[in-house]
């Protein structure tokens, strides 16, 4: 039993580490690929289509070789999930284009309380006071180190709301679909990735043209840009798999909270690798965010222990009731006729 707990803890840490490393890696690769100082590949939606296309190919190879088993999930569920996921990607891109960076960061931070509310509405899930307080500390910390100028307009606000709602719903749906159909994280991803890849590769160039006024067909691709696209797609496979793994193992809220560790890592690496400015305000915000994450981990652990204590108590009560009934003897309890309302025998 102890060995199983240790193995589970190691695999949990491995899933988080894979997600953080791959997410930070893909952000760094995309920064070099898409920035004007790099290769100026400004086609974010189409690039995401490439990501899911490579993920879909990896999933097909995995199924064909027997590494993973294909399980049945209704097509309408997959289509609905893919629509929500694509709305999330497109909404985020439009939000970044139409709003200031400050408001974009605020909209991303709002996902944690939105996920909490949606899980309460959809799954009647409740959170302890400690968890709520730790979430607020994380939100404040990340807000301090990332939010600068805050400018908003009506179109940008609508896109931000759409992005937040669809992203929150997508992350909740990953966990609920895995539980509902007893399907593993990689199996679910291998089913949704082809649909997302096809739709994004068809619609992506048009969305990117609207966002950047540039056609992907007019882009002069170089060897360096090709290598970074391949690197970005490779990291995306690990990023997508680890996201499904983490949400399947934990919850959408935990994924959002600990996911802000990536923000801290990106700011630090930006300072180390790209000479980005790191102010006292950034450092203080990162410290507050990390403290909030530590408190959140503690609060979740306390909640788990509290649930574990309550579970044996209810089980023992049930067993005692069963023993009492057995001692009294079923034959001594008169059976009631429901229709006549009279005791028999």
């Amino acid at each position: 039993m102890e060995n199983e707990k240790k193995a589970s803890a190691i695999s949990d840490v491995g899933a988080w580490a894979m997600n953080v490393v791959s997410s930070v890696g893909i952000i760094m690769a995309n920064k070099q690929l898409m920035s004007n100082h790099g290769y100026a590949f400004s086609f974010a939606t189409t690039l995401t289509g490439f990501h899911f296309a490579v993920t879909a190919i990896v999933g097909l190879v995995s199924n064909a070789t027997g590494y993973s088993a294909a399980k049945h999930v209704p097509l309408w569920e997959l289509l609905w999930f893919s629509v929500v996921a694509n709305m999330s990607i497109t909404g985020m891109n439009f939000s970044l284009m139409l709003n200031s960076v400050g408001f974009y960061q605020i909209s991303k931070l709002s996902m944690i309380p939105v996920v909490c509310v949606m899980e309460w509405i959809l799954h009647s899930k409740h959170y302890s006071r400690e968890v709520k307080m730790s979430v607020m500390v994380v939100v404040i910390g990340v807000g301090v180190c990332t939010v600068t100028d805050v400018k908003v307009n009506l179109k940008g606000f609508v896109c931000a709301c759409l992005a937040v709602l669809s992203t929150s719903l997508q992350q909740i749906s990953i966990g609920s679909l895995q539980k509902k159909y007893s399907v593993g994280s990689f199996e679910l991803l291998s089913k949704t990735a082809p649909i997302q890849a096809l739709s994004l590769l068809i619609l992506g160039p048009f969305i990117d043209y609207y966002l950047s006024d540039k056609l992907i067909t007019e882009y002069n691709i170089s060897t360096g840009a090709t290598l970074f696209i391949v690197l970005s797609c490779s990291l995306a496979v690990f990023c997508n798999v680890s996201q499904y793994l983490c949400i399947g193992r934990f919850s959408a809220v935990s994924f959002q909270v600990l996911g802000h560790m990536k923000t801290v890592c990106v700011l630090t690496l930006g300072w180390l690798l790209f000479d980005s400015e790191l102010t006292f305000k950034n450092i203080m915000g990162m410290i507050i965010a990390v403290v909030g994450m530590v408190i959140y981990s503690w609060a979740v652990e306390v909640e788990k222990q509290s649930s574990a204590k309550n579970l044996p108590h209810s089980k023992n009560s049930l067993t005692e009731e069963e023993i009492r009934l057995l001692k009294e003897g079923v034959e001594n309890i008169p059976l009631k006729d429901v229709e006549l309302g009279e005791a028999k025998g």
Side-chain angles (χ1 to χ4, degrees):
M1 191 66 168
E2 196 67 30
N3 290 334
E4 286 180 7
K5 285 184 179 178
K6 285 182 180 178
S8 178
I10 291 169
S11 60
D12 290 348
V13 171
W16 277 119
M18 186 197 296
N19 185 256
V20 171
V21 171
S22 60
S23 298
V24 173
I26 202 171
I27 290 169
M28 294 293 112
N30 287 351
K31 188 169 184 177
Q32 179 64 24
L33 177 64
M34 303 179 78
S35 69
N36 292 326
H37 300 293
Y39 296 100
F41 185 86
S42 57
F43 309 101
T45 313
T46 307
L47 180 63
T48 308
F50 293 155
H51 290 168
F52 280 106
V54 174
T55 304
I57 291 168
V58 171
L60 289 171
V61 171
S62 177
N63 288 335
T65 55
Y67 179 77
S68 59
K71 291 186 179 180
H72 175 70
V73 179
L75 181 61
W76 72 269
E77 291 260 37
L78 297 175
L79 289 172
W80 173 83
F81 175 84
S82 299
V83 168
V84 172
N86 288 350
M87 283 173 63
S88 164
I89 294 163
T90 308
M92 281 295 179
N93 288 342
F94 273 97
S95 176
L96 184 58
M97 181 191 77
L98 296 170
N99 298 312
S100 65
V101 175
F103 185 78
Y104 175 75
Q105 288 294 344
I106 287 175
S107 67
K108 286 181 72 177
L109 290 174
S110 69
M111 282 181 202
I112 299 178
V114 169
V115 167
C116 289
V117 171
M118 290 181 78
E119 285 202 319
W120 171 63
I121 293 170
L122 297 173
H123 303 300
S124 301
K125 190 169 183 178
H126 296 274
Y127 298 93
S128 65
R129 184 179 60 186
E130 291 81 5
V131 169
K132 291 174 185 174
M133 290 297 294
S134 62
V135 164
M136 288 304 299
V137 173
V138 173
V139 169
I140 291 167
V142 178
V144 166
C145 66
T146 60
V147 176
T148 50
D149 60 315
V150 179
K151 296 175 185 176
V152 64
N153 55 74
L154 182 60
K155 283 185 180 178
F157 180 77
V158 171
C159 287
C161 289
L162 181 67
V164 169
L165 290 172
S166 56
T167 303
S168 303
L169 184 58
Q170 180 224 3
Q171 293 183 355
I172 292 170
S173 298
I174 290 173
S176 60
L177 283 174
Q178 288 185 44
K179 290 172 184 174
K180 186 176 180 180
Y181 296 104
S182 301
V183 61
S185 53
F186 188 73
E187 285 79 10
L188 180 61
L189 178 60
S190 64
K191 285 182 175 295
T192 57
I195 301 171
Q196 286 185 256
L198 185 63
S199 54
L200 287 172
L201 289 174
I202 292 171
L203 299 174
F206 299 101
I207 295 169
D208 289 330
Y209 178 72
Y210 181 81
L211 291 170
S212 62
D213 288 327
K214 294 177 184 177
L215 288 170
I216 193 170
T217 52
E218 296 175 357
Y219 180 75
N220 294 319
I221 195 160
S222 63
T223 305
T226 304
L227 288 173
F228 269 91
I229 289 171
V230 171
L231 175 62
S232 180
C233 290
S234 302
L235 289 168
V237 175
F238 291 100
C239 187
N240 288 330
V241 170
S242 60
Q243 180 188 6
Y244 280 57
L245 271 173
C246 289
I247 295 175
R249 287 173 175 271
F250 309 104
S251 69
V253 176
S254 295
F255 182 75
Q256 280 290 330
V257 170
L258 297 180
H260 282 302
M261 179 59 74
K262 291 178 278 189
T263 304
V264 175
C265 293
V266 167
L267 286 171
T268 306
L269 287 174
W271 173 63
L272 291 171
L273 302 177
F274 297 100
D275 296 324
S276 299
E277 187 182 6
L278 196 64
T279 63
F280 176 75
K281 177 171 163 284
N282 295 141
I283 295 169
M284 284 304 299
M286 286 191 284
I287 291 170
I288 294 169
V290 171
V291 169
M293 290 171 201
V294 172
I295 296 171
Y296 178 81
S297 301
W298 167 79
V300 169
E301 191 60 34
V302 168
E303 206 169 49
K304 282 181 183 176
Q305 289 176 1
S306 177
S307 299
K309 284 178 182 177
N310 292 334
L311 188 63
H313 176 74
S314 60
K315 181 66 183 170
N316 288 340
S317 299
L318 180 64
T319 306
E320 287 165 7
E321 179 67 17
E322 288 172 346
I323 292 169
R324 186 184 66 78
L325 288 171
L326 285 170
K327 283 181 178 178
E328 288 179 0
V330 179
E331 66 276 6
N332 295 331
I333 302 173
L335 300 174
K336 298 289 183 182
D337 188 302
V338 178
E339 292 182 358
L340 300 176
E342 297 174 354
K344 290 185 179 179

